[in-house]
Amino acid sequence: MTTEKSEVFMVEPLNRGNVSKKKNRFSLSSIMTRVRRRGGKMENMKREVEINDHRLSIEELEKKYATDIKVGLSPADAAERLDRYGLNKLTPPKGTPEIVKFTKLLLGGFQILFWIGSILCFIAYGLQVSSDPTSPRDNLYLGIVLVGVVVMTALFAYYQEAKSTNIMAGFKNMVPQQACVIRGGSKLQINATELVIGDIVDIKGGDRVPADLRLFAGRGCKVDNSSLTGESEPQARSSELTHENPLETKNIAFYSTTCLEGTASGIVINTGDNTVIGRIAFLASGVENEKTPIAIEIEHFVHMISALALFVGFLFLFISLGMGYNILNAIIFFIGIVVAYVPEGLLATVTVCLSLTAKTMAKKNCLVKNLEAVETLGSTSVICSDKTGTLTQNRMTVAHMWFDKYVHTADTSEEMTGEQFDMSSKTWTALGQVASLCNRAVFRGGQEDKPISRREVEGDASETALLKFTEMVLGNVAGIRDQNPKVAEIPFNSTNKFQLSIHETDDPADKRYLLVMKGAPERILDRCSSIMITGQEWPLDEEMKEDFQRAYMELGSMGERVLGFCHCYLPEDKFPVGFQFDTEEMNFPTTNLCFVGLISLIDPPRSSVPEAISKCHSAGIKVIMVTGDHPITAKAIAIAVGIISPESETVEDIAQRLNIPIEKVDKADAKAAVINGGDLKDMTTEQLMEILRNHPEIVFARTSPQQKLIIVEACQNLGNFVAVTGDGVNDSPALKKANIGIAMGIAGSDAAKGAADMILLDDNFASIVTGVEEGRLIFDNLKKSISYTLTKNIPEMVPFMVYIIISCPLPLGTITILFIELGTDIIPSISLAYEKAESDIMNQKPRHPKRDRLVNIQLAAYTYFHIGIIETFSGFLCYFTVMAEQGYLPGTLINIRVPWESRTVGDLQDTFGQEWTYYQRAQMEWTGYTSFFVGIVGCQIINSIIRKTRRFSLFRQNVLKNRVFLMGIASQIIVAAFLSYCPGMGDGLHFMPLRVQYWFVSAPYVILIFAYDELRKLIIRNFPGCWVDRELFY
Amino acid sequence: MSSKEDKPVEQSQSSWKDFIYNPRSGEFIGRTARSWALILLFYLIFYGFLAGLFSLTMWVMLQTLDDYTPKYRDRISNPGLVIRPKAPEIIFNRSAPSEYKEYTDHLEAFLSKYNGEHQQNNIDCTPGAYFIQDNQPLPKQVCKFERSLLGQCSGITDQTFGYSEGRPCIIVKMNRIIGLKPKPTPFINCTAKKDDKLSVNYFPENATFDSMYFPYYGKLAHEGYVQPLVAVKLLLNSSDFNKKLSVECKIEGSNLLNNDDRDKFLGRVAFQVKVTE
């Protein structure tokens, strides 16, 4: 660790952007190794190893690819090769064929039960018809309706899925990439997809590398390999062979990486899926996707309900057989019970609820690809977050300055709303001048209307930061440069480790030349003999040097990259106007300069992140930073954003504070831990899991993408639901392995987006928190929605049981049941998804995956055995009322089933001696269905209202606030009234017009449900942990 | 309950056994005896209360009902017709008594309540006028319908109701509906469907349901009420034997419906007859 620390103070190569060096040398190869172990796709691997083009000379290459670097391929040749090798693009991972997807939907969930039900219906109808050709077609219709329900549900789910897939398709259809290619001796712009092996391609700053290229010429070319390695460190590219490993050598540029600056020319050596990135993307697709928690929950309750439905169905099949019903009747009863018990509309409701949330989240910049993943963030207990771009702004920014012996803080906020430092000192004037002049970065043209921080710059990260900073503080840097024309310049190189330029001054009276220099602070200091304090030059004594050291240490320990600045006015006598400066010979002084100050740079955290992290913490979510960056920088950012709280210490901190060896520190005292990827490599899984268990605040630095996967697996082994953020192709295995993979919408590579379940459109960590909130909310709301939906299954099923046992006319028909399930109750159950959070869901712990189920015993018991039973009584009261008022008192109804249903009995007597024909009885029966239906609907209205809260009193809730909910209730009443009063409903759907007063028969039970639930909530609120709380809180 | 979720993985194999009965915690299907007792007691009280409430609401509802007439009779605004013997198809060999005994026994049993001894208390009413007794004390009086009115089909003279000669009697009955007053007097008209020619004799000869039998006051108020009947004697000839005759009887000449699309028995009744020699 100590060696690591010193590294940050080491001289940093100026022209290489971020903290770079040896990190992740193994990243690509390690991921390859891993994939090899998994997939065993030796065929591809062999080919990968076979890249040896970097070792070949240009001539050999020309021979190998039958091309010419001057003339390129002939168009005919290119066309022929295109024919042979195919388009230069990545084959999208083979999705499941559409028909298989649809078939799965047709057979998933409750669908199997419905298929069985409908087949039984057709069999029953067949048997009925064979024994009596005139028998009613009810069973035929029911069978058809059931098939219809299955197909509609599947179509609906398919549509919803297709919709979210289409969002993804939008990403893929980006503007076709162009490539500048030499063919037949002339330069052409063609679509990158048409490139073939052997093509000669020119790339320049800003281009995406269009294929794997062996470079044969390069001028100041730098590439960003982040889409491949996940590291945004710019890497130089030239024609030199610098490494035996094709993945490390400078003369190969990889497909999909970005050329940042400079130009280069190369021969296409691989295209499409054969490119390195193509192989990673292909092989990474072998990692299995984890099942989403909500899918597990839905499966759980589908199994539970299916098992119960079959159990009750078979129970009554045997009871009815035992009671002497024939097998045909018994089968019909079985169908009736299964249809009544299974919540037909539930899965559609859940799908709609999830897609509504997905829409809301999309508005808040969380694009959900897989509908089920909507809830996953809510269950997440660990977030493994990338640093660069997610937690930070992904742009170097000036954070601090040191001059006049003080550290000054610059404004790093994204919108530049922070405080400004004191600019009155003359030293600052000098420092600003050096920073503006000794800087090769320039703004790209035509951006004057953009805010400075958004403008695009040509130049590396540090220089860009300095340019923007000076532009912001001094204004018009270009003007300053014009007034101080550059006469000579030495760009940065790794031996000098400084950058120097010589300018005329802007003071016409002053004919001296100004030499400005910047570089690694200690190197700069070494070249100085004086230091500027409040505009005056002072000799650089030991005390000053100590001050410098202290400031340098301080800035370095904040994870910042520090640059030193100095200048020197060259004496006019030695360097008169027109003096020829020779940068090769260095015919000018580069020592005894005047030290002006230090400027330190950092990729600052996004301003919204600290709040988001603290929200995560209060929501019981552990945030782990996993980064390829240097531990010091990683830790500094972790502290800045709150991943490591200010009072926490790592083992190393404690050791330092107590001045004892690291081994002697009690690990339990250290809340925080910063783990280096190098150490992680030597750890066993158990050790890693122990670290994850023991330290609440963890930062993994210098990790390879493969280690990211290991960390995710270890977290999952500890029983956590893990969210992973990532943007590189190499992140895709971890993104897939995670319970929810979150890709960055702006910085993310296509492969990462493809592997992820969710895409952050603004790359902002704070959006994840929104996702967590929405996920938790939808979990609670689904509970409400499901408990509402399940309630009516009891009043739908019990009539069948009563019918079988007391042999009365059927109180509630199967078609009627379907109309409750798919008609009146659908919109109210969906509208519950619009409920606002009941309590502060972001102050609760993530749910326990095993204990906090979506549908638990309490929910089922309260729904089925409390509210459901009350609704049953309500339905029966309505039914008996209608029957009695038309002439059939309850006593008469018992055991009347056989003559009642007999078509040959044309004169069945009611209680009052009147005689009824078969059709009159049928209409009476349908009136009974309708009344029972109305009895249920009445209760379901109040049921939907009480389900709005699980704990709080409805009196405290603004019931009218949820507009959609009110619409839901209105729809329920309208649909019910339509079914009852629309003419002609009787014969088809068995609904009859009801007298108005029958709609109010259920009033006592409506009031009872409301009062009972309020009582339950009252007890739960006032006596937490009491028996009622334990048994009846769902 | 939640405690069992936390058990280490290695115990999960025996967990279903533990679920049935867990000797360590004394839990039986996830609950201790005390817990079971508590929850059963709760449901006993809760369902007891619900049953009580249901009984109460039912009782209140029944209190609003009248003992003598149902509150609404709109589901049966028109009466249906039925025939006796009660069978959609009447098939028999006229020379085989065993084949038609079923029918004649049925007719005999049906007509037994029209026997003189059952009608002693019934009064002779004025034909052609409704026998209104809305304000009369209970029980309401019943108009006499003598079995002998059915003549040849009364079973008095011909105990085989004409079945032995191949000219069977069918009795047409109109459903009772409280308060129903057909206007004017309806009569029964039986025809053969298709082109078959059918001659019939009606008993009483005018084939009417006389108005004096209406209105009906309900089972409780109108004890011993007998419906008027119309007997139809199918005068089959030898040419009609051995083939299936479709006959439809309709109620006509009144405001009663006899052509409802849906209800094939509203004011009409169809049946088939096949007599073999």
Side-chain angles (χ1 to χ4, degrees):
Chain A
M1 215 51 202
T2 42
T3 56
E4 299 276 1
K5 232 171 210 169
S6 66
E7 265 180 48
V8 87
F9 305 131
M10 271 171 31
V11 183
E12 296 252 349
L14 246 181
N15 280 5
R16 311 177 104 210
N18 220 329
V19 219
S20 65
K21 286 153 306 208
K22 62 198 173 194
K23 77 178 162 195
N24 288 328
R25 184 135 303 170
F26 43 84
S27 60
L28 259 180
S29 14
S30 64
I31 211 163
M32 283 297 193
T33 327
R34 188 169 178 85
V35 179
R36 196 173 323 168
R37 262 194 282 139
R38 280 172 179 270
K41 314 257 192 221
M42 287 310 291
E43 211 53 38
N44 285 291
M45 296 321 300
K46 265 184 220 149
R47 261 189 280 154
E48 195 262 314
V49 177
E50 270 166 19
I51 295 186
N52 60 353
D53 296 330
H54 54 299
R55 282 192 289 263
L56 301 181
S57 70
I58 312 267
E59 289 70 35
E60 285 170 315
L61 283 167
E62 281 183 325
K63 205 171 141 204
K64 179 173 174 188
Y65 294 111
T67 185
D68 184 291
I69 62 167
K70 297 264 161 20
V71 184
L73 296 171
S74 70
D77 204 4
E80 193 262 328
R81 287 188 197 192
L82 187 65
D83 227 34
R84 189 156 14 121
Y85 299 109
L87 286 176
N88 172 34
K89 64 173 187 187
L90 298 184
T91 326
K94 252 197 210 126
T96 334
E98 299 300 302
I99 185 75
V100 174
K101 268 194 214 165
F102 189 65
T103 313
K104 266 187 182 169
L105 290 171
L106 277 179
L107 299 176
F110 297 120
Q111 315 289 44
I112 290 283
L113 281 184
F114 293 147
W115 283 118
I116 297 172
S118 64
I119 290 167
L120 286 178
C121 277
F122 293 133
I123 293 173
Y125 176 66
L127 290 174
Q128 276 175 327
V129 167
S130 63
S131 67
D132 174 10
T134 60
S135 48
R137 294 194 185 152
D138 287 15
N139 281 312
L140 178 67
Y141 294 148
L142 182 60
I144 294 169
V145 168
L146 284 180
V147 173
V149 168
V150 172
V151 174
M152 289 306 291
T153 312
L155 274 176
F156 184 73
Y158 182 78
Y159 168 72
Q160 290 291 354
E161 271 184 22
K163 241 180 22 183
S164 52
T165 318
N166 281 344
I167 299 173
M168 274 320 291
F171 270 106
K172 284 174 194 147
N173 294 332
M174 280 185 297
V175 192
Q177 197 195 334
Q178 296 282 311
C180 179
V181 66
I182 300 174
R183 278 191 189 164
S186 53
K187 276 198 183 182
L188 304 169
Q189 285 284 336
I190 61 167
N191 271 349
T193 51
E194 288 164 21
L195 283 183
V196 293
I197 290 175
D199 262 332
I200 308 301
V201 174
D202 286 345
I203 53 170
K204 60 178 192 307
D207 286 354
R208 238 161 59 115
V209 179
D212 281 359
L213 302 178
R214 159 67 164 87
L215 304 179
F216 55 79
R219 283 163 300 278
C221 178
K222 271 188 207 156
V223 291
D224 175 4
N225 271 356
S226 62
S227 67
L228 200 61
T229 60
E231 297 316 318
S232 53
E233 175 62 23
Q235 291 170 11
R237 281 292 177 268
S238 64
S239 57
E240 302 152 35
L241 168 65
T242 53
H243 205 284
E244 280 301 298
N245 187 338
L247 300 169
E248 303 295 335
T249 179
K250 272 189 178 174
N251 59 1
I252 291 190
F254 296 103
Y255 178 44
S256 91
T257 60
T258 317
C259 178
L260 292 174
E261 57 183 87
T263 58
S265 306
I267 301 175
V268 174
I269 54 172
N270 282 313
T271 58
D273 291 332
N274 290 326
T275 58
V276 170
I277 201 135
R279 282 175 223 171
I280 294 180
F282 172 71
L283 293 170
S285 69
V287 179
E288 289 278 309
N289 233 335
E290 293 282 304
K291 228 179 209 166
T292 61
I294 198 74
I296 296 169
E297 289 305 316
I298 291 172
E299 201 169 81
H300 173 242
F301 82 66
V302 164
H303 285 166
M304 192 170 106
I305 288 170
S306 305
L308 277 171
L310 289 176
F311 172 74
V312 179
F314 277 112
L315 183 71
F316 272 81
L317 183 83
F318 292 123
I319 288 178
S320 45
L321 286 177
M323 286 177 67
Y325 288 97
N326 64 33
I327 183 77
L328 182 65
N329 275 329
I331 288 175
I332 293 171
F333 298 160
F334 175 82
I335 299 165
I337 283 181
V338 170
V339 169
Y341 193 74
V342 173
E344 282 83 4
L346 190 55
L347 293 185
T349 305
V350 170
T351 313
V352 174
C353 289
L354 290 176
S355 62
L356 285 174
T357 302
K359 250 190 194 167
T360 318
M361 287 170 81
K363 270 188 210 145
K364 297 179 178 173
N365 290 321
C366 294
L367 192 66
V368 181
K369 272 173 58 188
N370 171 7
L371 213 47
E372 286 167 346
V374 161
E375 189 275 334
T376 315
L377 266 182
S379 314
T380 296
S381 48
V382 172
I383 299 175
C384 290
S385 177
D386 215 8
K387 180 181 80 70
T388 315
T390 316
L391 299 173
T392 67
Q393 301 171 17
N394 198 17
R395 56 187 180 93
M396 274 296 176
T397 307
V398 171
H400 294 99
M401 284 150 294
W402 179 79
F403 57 82
D404 292 350
K405 299 208 275 185
Y406 288 104
V407 171
H408 301 261
T409 308
D411 178 13
T412 54
S413 66
E414 283 149 294
E415 305 304 326
M416 294 297 154
T417 48
E419 273 179 40
Q420 282 296 358
F421 59 96
D422 173 29
M423 284 182 278
S424 57
S425 166
K426 287 231 172 87
T427 318
W428 159 244
T429 318
L431 183 60
Q433 190 178 38
V434 179
S436 331
L437 296 178
C438 188
N439 190 340
R440 298 185 349 138
V442 287
F443 287 112
R444 294 211 173 125
Q447 307 189 81
E448 284 70 24
D449 49 335
K450 278 196 204 169
I452 293 165
S453 57
R454 299 267 168 77
R455 288 188 204 164
E456 280 178 44
V457 175
E458 215 145 328
D460 75 18
S462 308
E463 297 215 310
T464 302
L466 288 170
L467 174 65
K468 287 185 174 174
F469 176 68
T470 47
E471 178 86 13
M472 206 123 39
V473 179
L474 303 172
N476 198 7
V477 171
I480 297 174
R481 289 185 190 167
D482 285 346
Q483 286 167 12
N484 300 274
K486 196 189 283 178
V487 292
E489 178 175 50
I490 301 177
F492 179 88
N493 71 49
S494 43
T495 32
N496 292 339
K497 296 204 189 287
F498 66 76
Q499 177 179 354
L500 170 157
S501 58
I502 300 169
H503 302 259
E504 295 170 14
T505 63
D506 50 357
D507 181 0
D510 190 351
K511 295 289 178 216
R512 290 178 300 175
Y513 284 101
L514 171 65
L515 182 148
V516 288
M517 184 192 261
K518 78 170 178 213
E522 62 273 35
R523 292 292 181 93
I524 297 291
L525 192 73
D526 287 346
R527 295 175 180 275
C528 292
S529 57
S530 61
I531 181 165
M532 184 179 275
I533 308 279
T534 60
Q536 303 294 315
E537 273 189 43
W538 294 79
L540 189 64
D541 56 20
E542 280 310 306
E543 195 194 327
M544 293 287 183
K545 279 188 180 169
E546 257 171 50
D547 276 353
F548 163 85
Q549 270 310 334
R550 219 174 300 128
Y552 186 17
M553 290 286 282
E554 188 187 333
L555 297 176
S557 69
M558 287 191 278
E560 297 175 6
R561 185 192 309 164
V562 190
L563 297 171
F565 294 81
C566 63
H567 72 186
C568 178
Y569 284 95
L570 301 176
E572 204 183 341
D573 49 344
K574 283 190 189 161
F575 303 95
V577 179
F579 181 83
Q580 286 301 308
F581 292 98
D582 186 341
T583 52
E584 294 293 313
E585 295 291 317
M586 294 221 229
N587 55 354
F588 45 85
T590 55
T591 52
N592 290 328
L593 311 173
C594 172
F595 190 85
V596 183
L598 295 171
I599 294 182
S600 67
L601 308 164
I602 197 159
D603 178 11
R606 288 167 176 270
S607 46
S608 54
V609 168
E611 200 198 333
I613 302 256
S614 93
K615 272 188 186 165
C616 284
H617 284 160
S618 57
I621 301 170
K622 189 166 171 175
V623 183
I624 297 176
M625 183 196 277
V626 184
T627 177
D629 237 334
H630 196 282
I632 302 282
T633 318
K635 191 180 168 194
I637 293 289
I639 291 171
V641 298
I643 287 180
I644 295 180
S645 46
E647 69 275 10
S648 308
E649 290 179 307
T650 62
V651 173
E652 294 78 13
D653 290 335
I654 295 173
Q656 205 177 22
R657 176 165 56 84
L658 303 175
N659 210 1
I660 52 171
I662 286 175
E663 295 75 40
K664 288 202 178 155
V665 177
D666 181 2
K667 285 195 172 135
D669 291 343
K671 245 181 102 185
V674 179
I675 313 291
N676 193 319
D679 302 339
L680 187 59
K681 211 165 54 176
D682 305 326
M683 273 181 206
T684 63
T685 318
E686 285 69 34
Q687 282 171 316
L688 175 60
M689 280 167 74
E690 196 169 312
I691 287 174
L692 290 169
R693 239 197 314 265
N694 290 343
H695 303 282
E697 298 167 350
I698 306 175
V699 170
F700 288 97
R702 291 235 158 141
T703 46
S704 68
Q706 179 200 14
Q707 289 174 328
K708 215 170 186 175
L709 191 59
I710 292 170
I711 294 166
V712 171
E713 276 173 343
C715 288
Q716 284 175 336
N717 288 343
L718 286 170
N720 292 308
F721 282 129
V722 184
V724 170
T725 68
D727 44 20
V729 173
N730 56 339
D731 289 332
S732 33
L735 287 172
K736 273 207 149 178
K737 180 74 204 165
N739 300 84
I740 178 161
I742 304 167
M744 298 301 136
I746 302 167
S749 59
D750 284 354
K753 284 176 190 165
D757 306 293
M758 185 183 277
I759 293 164
L760 289 188
L761 294 177
D762 57 356
D763 288 18
N764 188 347
F765 186 83
S767 304
I768 298 178
V769 177
T770 322
V772 171
E773 199 165 353
E774 290 293 335
R776 289 186 177 188
L777 183 59
I778 193 63
F779 189 81
D780 280 3
N781 284 347
L782 276 181
K783 262 189 174 185
K784 295 174 183 174
S785 191
I786 290 171
S787 60
Y788 167 74
T789 309
L790 292 182
T791 313
K792 60 185 178 282
N793 290 124
I794 291 296
E796 285 168 359
M797 186 175 65
V798 173
F800 244 100
M801 300 175 170
V802 170
Y803 165 70
I804 293 169
I805 289 168
I806 71 167
S807 254
C808 62
L810 183 61
L812 187 66
T814 326
I815 304 274
T816 324
I817 290 172
L818 289 174
F819 270 94
I820 301 176
E821 295 281 352
L822 303 170
T824 58
D825 272 7
I826 283 282
I827 299 180
S829 61
I830 291 169
S831 72
L832 283 168
Y834 284 95
E835 280 300 307
K836 295 272 172 293
E838 212 176 315
S839 53
D840 194 355
I841 41 176
M842 291 306 278
N843 279 334
Q844 287 156 14
K845 284 213 147 84
R847 70 185 181 90
H848 189 287
K850 289 259 166 55
R851 219 176 296 149
D852 307 326
R853 311 299 310 239
L854 185 63
V855 174
N856 53 20
I857 301 240
Q858 286 83 351
L859 185 147
Y862 186 65
T863 299
Y864 283 153
F865 301 132
H866 294 235
I867 307 297
I869 295 290
I870 299 178
E871 289 192 3
T872 309
F873 279 117
S874 165
F876 271 107
L877 180 66
C878 291
Y879 167 76
F880 282 128
T881 304
V882 165
M883 285 296 192
E885 294 194 342
Q886 291 280 3
Y888 289 94
L889 293 190
T892 314
L893 290 175
I894 295 171
N895 231 355
I896 206 178
R897 189 188 73 88
V898 176
W900 178 279
E901 292 180 350
S902 163
R903 294 153 58 77
T904 58
V905 176
D907 56 348
L908 186 70
Q909 276 197 30
D910 65 15
T911 319
F912 297 90
Q914 308 185 93
E915 291 168 328
W916 297 60
T917 66
Y918 174 76
Y919 187 70
Q920 285 168 336
R921 294 196 304 271
Q923 287 198 317
M924 191 63 235
E925 186 173 318
W926 302 337
T927 313
Y929 295 173
T930 315
S931 64
F932 208 108
F933 164 79
V934 163
I936 294 176
V937 168
C939 289
Q940 279 295 83
I941 291 174
I942 195 71
N943 188 22
S944 67
I945 295 173
I946 63 163
R947 300 295 185 178
K948 281 169 79 77
T949 61
R950 293 186 296 143
R951 179 180 289 274
F952 291 113
S953 168
L954 283 171
F955 293 112
R956 279 186 45 193
Q957 211 83 0
N958 186 353
V959 181
L960 304 177
K961 208 173 173 186
N962 184 343
R963 285 278 172 80
V964 185
F965 180 75
L966 294 178
M967 270 170 49
I969 291 181
S971 80
Q972 199 163 18
I973 298 168
I974 292 167
V975 171
F978 175 80
L979 288 172
S980 171
Y981 294 118
C982 178
M985 282 294 191
D987 293 306
L989 304 174
H990 304 346
F991 280 94
M992 298 296 285
L994 279 193
R995 287 194 158 74
V996 175
Q997 71 261 29
Y998 292 139
W999 293 73
F1000 301 97
V1001 172
S1002 52
Y1005 295 94
V1006 170
I1007 297 165
L1008 175 67
I1009 289 175
F1010 181 77
Y1012 183 67
D1013 195 57
E1014 278 296 318
L1015 178 69
R1016 178 188 72 97
K1017 288 169 185 166
L1018 182 77
I1019 297 174
I1020 287 171
R1021 283 196 309 275
N1022 290 337
F1023 306 99
C1026 70
W1027 186 85
V1028 174
D1029 190 12
R1030 274 181 284 128
E1031 298 288 350
L1032 301 181
F1033 179 68
Y1034 55 88
Chain B
M1 294 242 348
S2 57
S3 63
K4 70 181 192 306
E5 307 277 1
D6 294 331
K7 273 181 220 155
V9 189
E10 51 267 29
Q11 286 188 13
S12 67
Q13 288 159 337
S14 63
S15 70
W16 66 271
K17 270 185 196 162
D18 279 353
F19 180 68
I20 301 294
Y21 180 70
N22 182 343
R24 290 179 300 280
S25 58
E27 281 175 354
F28 173 70
I29 316 190
R31 286 178 187 276
T32 59
R34 197 184 124 76
S35 168
W36 272 114
L38 207 58
I39 197 127
L40 289 178
L41 181 70
F42 171 82
Y43 278 110
L44 195 69
I45 296 170
F46 181 62
Y47 287 162
F49 165 75
L50 281 184
L53 183 75
F54 183 66
S55 308
L56 179 74
T57 49
M58 284 292 285
W59 181 79
V60 168
M61 183 269 291
L62 292 174
Q63 289 310 299
T64 66
L65 299 180
D66 185 85
D67 287 345
Y68 301 100
T69 50
K71 202 164 183 174
Y72 303 111
R73 295 187 296 277
D74 52 339
R75 286 270 155 258
I76 38 171
S77 44
N78 282 285
L81 285 191
V82 290
I83 57 156
R84 293 290 181 270
K86 190 175 158 186
E89 288 181 324
I90 296 163
I91 299 167
F92 62 96
N93 186 334
R94 64 172 177 164
S95 42
S98 63
E99 284 191 20
Y100 58 76
K101 188 171 183 301
E102 183 195 347
Y103 302 126
T104 53
D105 283 356
H106 187 196
L107 284 173
E108 184 55 45
F110 174 69
L111 288 175
S112 66
K113 55 180 180 286
Y114 291 86
N115 286 343
E117 69 263 28
H118 289 209
Q119 305 246 2
Q120 282 163 8
N121 299 331
N122 297 356
I123 57 164
D124 292 316
C125 308
T126 327
Y130 297 124
F131 185 35
I132 310 277
Q133 31 184 345
D134 291 356
N135 300 320
Q136 308 297 315
L138 298 174
K140 310 287 185 189
Q141 287 183 306
V142 181
C143 285
K144 200 174 269 180
F145 186 95
E146 288 284 4
R147 188 171 167 175
S148 55
L149 282 173
L150 300 178
Q152 292 178 13
C153 287
S154 65
I156 302 169
T157 48
D158 177 4
Q159 306 228 325
T160 66
F161 296 90
Y163 283 72
S164 58
E165 50 172 336
R167 295 181 155 190
C169 279
I170 308 292
I171 292 174
V172 179
K173 181 184 83 144
M174 190 173 79
N175 280 351
R176 290 188 296 221
I177 292 170
I178 294 175
L180 181 77
K181 287 184 269 188
K183 200 169 73 176
T185 310
F187 63 91
I188 292 295
N189 179 24
C190 292
T191 51
K193 281 186 176 176
K194 299 169 206 162
D195 300 330
D196 299 327
K197 283 224 169 66
L198 181 70
S199 51
V200 293
N201 278 350
Y202 297 105
F203 304 95
E205 276 173 24
N206 57 3
T208 55
F209 296 118
D210 199 292
S211 297
M212 65 182 178
Y213 297 103
F214 303 99
Y216 173 52
Y217 283 96
K219 201 181 191 176
L220 200 59
H222 223 155
E223 219 177 324
Y225 173 81
V226 285
Q227 283 150 287
L229 302 172
V230 170
V232 181
K233 190 172 175 72
L234 308 175
L235 303 176
L236 304 181
N237 297 316
S238 53
S239 62
D240 297 321
F241 292 153
N242 295 328
K243 65 180 186 186
K244 224 177 220 178
L245 273 178
S246 291
V247 182
E248 188 181 50
C249 294
K250 281 187 170 183
I251 196 151
E252 285 176 10
S254 76
N255 61 343
L256 301 179
L257 287 182
N258 62 3
N259 57 355
D260 191 86
D261 287 343
R262 297 276 162 198
D263 195 344
K264 301 291 181 214
F265 295 90
L266 203 67
R268 56 183 161 162
V269 61
F271 54 92
Q272 289 177 317
V273 179
K274 185 182 178 188
V275 181
T276 51
E277 285 182 273

